[in-house]
Amino acid sequence: MSATGSAATALDQRLGGAAFARRAIRKAFPDHWSFMLGEIALYSFVVLLLSGVFLTFFFKPSMAEVVYDGSYAPLRGTEMSEAYASTLRLSLDVRGGLLMRQVHHWSAVIFVAAILAHLMRVFFTGAFRKPRELNWLLGFTLFTLAMANGFTGYSLPDDLLSGTGIRLIIGAVQAIPLAGTYISFFLLGGEFPGTDLIPRFYVLHVLLVPGLMLALVPVHAIILPWVQKHTDFRRGRSTEKAVEGKPFFPVFMAKTGAFFLFIAGVTVLLAAFFQINPIWQYGAYSPTAISAGTQPDWYLAFGDGALRLMPGWDVTFAGHTLALGVLVPLLVITVFFTGLALYPFLEARLTGDRGVHHVLDRPRDAANRTGAGVAGIVFYGILWAAAGNDVLAETFHLSLFATTWFFRVALPAGPVIAFEVTRRICLGLQRRDMLLLKHGIETGIIVRELSGRYAERTRPLPEESRAALERDSGQAAIRAPGST
């Protein structure tokens, strides 16, 4: 036996990994395109980590005041924080620095977008049902951590745009009854703007939140899917007990390796040709400066939109002023995200479905769930669009008052309309499937029967199409209208 074989045998005798390796190599992975959404998130996370390590070599997380003397002439001689000055130096003086900054920012945008798309795929197909409720909670936690880490990273350069966002968040924190001022003083190390916020955000951004995500990602993406059976659509030979797919090695490994290179390549191309967050155009943050048209990264805009839509109402209770203009949006957003996190348990309770599911639903087969999902998207989308009400008003020459009231009316009405319209579309698609199976395909040929009645001639579905439709529909498409 060779030295390599002897070493492998010795390790297997002590660690017992050979049996696991054999099972892992043979594990079947379904190859439907929608399963790649989670891999986009995973590989964007890898690009984020690699580019972030490069940036830490040059960024200085300090709010100490310095006078800029770098190569960017318009800001030369300006007082600014060391964090902003080091970001300028990284962007304009370090070879490849701007490219890596933009790779990091673009990969963060792709990362959050991919997680959101992955969550929607899991939601609309019912992949969160028993026994995967824990994996849904882990995925939702990762989504929340990604948004939090995006905000802290967005805030680190200490430019005017990010400083405006920090000021908004500090104001929201200070509005929390009883604990708000204490939390604000803890974050700032004193009164606004303080000197400790950027260093503390830096620790959160490069250490605490990534550490939590590095711990949760393997559990969410590797361990639980490996222990549990992989989900698949009702197709081919896939059933509740078996999955039809390609083996992990070598097919899936080759595909996923190429996919990682594709994701990294697209991110670098975006960074090379599409500018993002040009901080030198904004200038250093100053508490006295006012900037118009400021917009956060897209995935945080819903919070800004909620604050813009709420009237500035205040009430006094027990000698304390409660800023309802801030507290109500925070409460609404908290309830929305809590309901989203607990949805698997809410659906199981409402429908009484406690069974184990490995085969996925088509969205049309769960009309109420699909309607609720689209309603949630519309709710989120209206808040997101409301964050740009001033930009929309200026661009399209509208009244800011009119745009604000449009979104105020659309916020409660839009989700209700979206739910009912989506539900009706799903029920219509269910009936269409049933009619195709029962009557066949319409030919457009009208014939007159012996009784004198006119009828359209139909032809049976091809056997392959009928089998696919029956398999996709399962029992769900035959359920009574209005069922979930």
Side-chain angles (χ1 to χ4, degrees), residues 161-189:
L161 182 62
S162 65
T164 303
I166 291 176
R167 189 68 188 92
L168 186 149
I169 293 297
I170 294 300
V173 169
Q174 290 174 337
I176 299 174
L178 300 179
T181 53
Y182 295 97
I183 298 173
S184 172
F185 267 63
F186 171 75
L187 290 174
L188 298 172

Side-chain angles (χ1 to χ4, degrees), residues 108-164:
V109 171
I110 296 172
F111 179 50
V112 179
I115 293 178
L116 186 58
H118 176 62
L119 282 173
M120 287 193 292
R121 195 276 299 175
V122 171
F123 181 89
F124 285 114
T125 60
F128 55 78
R129 292 172 296 176
K130 187 179 178 180
R132 295 175 181 83
E133 302 95 335
L134 176 60
N135 224 13
W136 169 265
L137 290 175
L138 289 176
F140 182 81
T141 302
L142 286 169
F143 178 56
T144 306
L145 290 174
M147 290 194 296
N149 217 35
F151 172 75
T152 55
Y154 166 86
S155 304
L156 287 180
D158 198 32
D159 59 290
L160 182 57
L161 182 62
S162 65
T164 303

Side-chain angles (χ1 to χ4, degrees), residues 327-337 379 383 411:
L327 292 177
V328 171
L330 291 178
L331 181 62
V332 170
I333 291 173
T334 301
V335 170
F336 174 71
F337 276 90
F379 179 82
L383 290 181
L411 187 63

Side-chain angles (χ1 to χ4, degrees), residues 198-465:
I198 296 300
R200 289 176 178 177
F201 271 12
Y202 184 74
V203 172
L204 291 173
H205 184 72
V206 306
L207 183 62
L208 181 60
V209 177
L212 289 173
M213 296 179 77
L214 280 171
L216 294 178
V217 164
V219 179
H220 174 75
I222 300 175
I223 296 177
L224 285 179
W226 219 282
V227 172
Q228 299 167 348
K229 180 177 173 294
H230 203 294
T231 58
D232 196 9
F233 292 96
R234 196 182 300 275
R235 56 184 181 144
R237 289 174 290 178
S238 294
T239 65
E240 293 287 2
K241 297 182 179 180
V243 170
E244 179 180 354
K246 305 297 183 183
F248 176 74
F249 183 84
V251 178
F252 181 79
M253 283 295 295
K255 288 172 57 178
T256 198
F259 199 51
F260 168 68
L261 296 177
F262 176 78
I263 297 300
V266 169
T267 306
V268 172
L269 286 175
L270 285 171
F273 293 104
F274 297 93
Q275 181 174 267
I276 189 169
N277 198 25
I279 60 164
W280 53 89
Q281 295 181 7
Y282 309 140
Y285 177 68
S286 170
T288 61
I290 299 175
S291 57
T294 56
Q295 303 292 312
D297 278 338
W298 67 269
Y299 48 86
L300 295 172
F302 67 92
D304 195 4
L307 291 172
R308 294 188 186 207
L309 294 186
M310 183 66 191
W313 294 341
D314 293 333
V315 297
T316 301
F317 178 76
H320 297 276
T321 300
L322 299 179
L324 297 183
V326 177
L327 292 177
V328 171
L330 291 178
L331 181 62
V332 170
I333 291 173
T334 301
V335 170
F336 174 71
F337 276 90
T338 302
L340 187 59
L342 299 179
Y343 185 83
F345 308 98
L346 296 175
E347 181 178 291
R349 184 176 183 85
L350 291 174
T351 62
D353 184 1
R354 307 289 181 179
V356 173
H357 296 277
H358 299 303
V359 174
L360 302 175
D361 287 335
R362 295 182 305 169
R364 70 179 65 178
D365 297 334
N368 289 340
R369 180 202 303 148
T370 303
V374 174
I377 293 172
V378 170
F379 179 82
Y380 181 96
I382 291 173
L383 290 181
W384 171 82
N389 63 342
D390 55 340
V391 177
L392 291 172
E394 180 183 5
T395 303
F396 296 103
H397 308 289
L398 302 172
S399 165
L400 180 61
F401 181 83
T403 57
T404 301
W405 270 102
F406 170 80
F407 287 122
R408 284 176 176 173
V409 174
L411 187 63
V416 175
I417 296 172
F419 173 82
E420 188 59 28
V421 170
T422 304
R423 179 175 171 275
R424 290 294 174 182
I425 291 173
C426 290
L427 295 177
L429 291 173
Q430 289 182 23
R431 293 190 182 97
R432 175 181 176 274
D433 289 344
M434 289 189 289
L435 288 174
L436 281 174
L437 288 172
K438 185 176 180 180
H439 299 292
I441 302 173
E442 297 176 353
T443 63
I445 300 174
I446 306 298
V447 296
R448 185 177 181 180
E449 299 176 349
L450 293 176
S451 62
R453 185 175 69 92
Y454 289 93
E456 184 177 13
R457 180 177 295 170
T458 61
R459 58 183 173 85
L461 282 171
E463 195 60 35
E464 183 178 349
S465 300

